[in-house]
Amino acid sequence: MKILLLGANGQVGWELQRALAPLGRLEICDRLRADLDRPESLAALVERIQPQVIVNAAAYTAVDKAESDAARSRRVNAESVEVLADAARSCDAWLVHYSTDYVFDGCKAAAYTEDDPVGPLSVYGQTKLEGEQAIQASGCKHLILRTSWVYAARGSNFIKTMLRLAAEREELRVIADQIGAPTSAELIADVSALLLYRLRHDRALAEQATGIYHLTAAGETSWHGYARFVVAKAAALDMSLKAGADDIHAIGTADYPLPARRPANSRLDTGKLRRTFDLHLPQWEYHVERMLHEFIPKP
């Protein structure tokens, strides 16, 4: 199997390099080799490589900056994705693409299923939705994997920010009225590789698997609950902190205004993915604790 991986140096892309390597020949593209800010360059890349699978882990993810940079967000998240989808159809390749809980408005009381109406609140969410729609309209074989609250040991993320702030301050204030499931890039990459393996070895599955799937860790929490868990576990691992879990105070979204509106409910129902591919998704705490053991220096 020849796999073309775009966005290879991002949080998810870095883990995908590891997870996809056993499946076959892996063509790794960072921004220098495959720039999604230049959609016109991508078709020739796919034509030259002739992959059997395109995995697109590249995206414009600066959620707040996108509000004032809509044209670039659209080029990366929608226009380039449309080019990749058309190129995938032309060479009969599968396209694996990552999307987001931000395609929803967050007003639903329960977890969102793949069939629920969309309603993005931000430029980022809108452009990611346009990317999804372009893939579906292209007619290519595809897996669109919506995920949420992504983190990894590599790069910047909420966990590292909380640990830095807890080491600097005696009290923290964290939003408590947004709910979701922290999901590790490691889990996303491992599940992606498993799905491709299953598609390769199960023709009947491959013939009916095209579509959108929700991929998050199991369980749910708020950003406030997430921060308390991270700080408590870090303290138990002997990390030197000024603020403990009880020093993290709950605030509302209105108390921390940002340029882009976030969905209050980011919970995604993963039942379709689990049933279709017969897999288990661990609780969100599992990979958070793994990352902390990896990230925090041993005394």
Side-chain angles (χ1 to χ4, degrees), residues 200-237:
R200 182 180 184 183
H201 294 281
D202 188 334
R203 180 172 297 181
L205 176 63
E207 289 176 353
Q208 56 88 37
T210 284
I212 298 175
Y213 297 88
H214 289 170
L215 167 54
T216 66
E220 63 186 63
T221 189
S222 66
W223 291 111
H224 176 253
Y226 187 9
R228 284 177 53 87
F229 180 84
V230 166
V231 168
K233 290 297 180 181
L237 292 171

Side-chain angles (χ1 to χ4, degrees), residues 12 16 98 145 147 150 183-193 215:
V12 175
L16 283 165
Y98 301 94
L145 303 177
T147 189
V150 178
T183 303
S184 74
E186 180 183 19
L187 176 63
I188 294 169
D190 288 344
V191 169
S192 299
L215 167 54

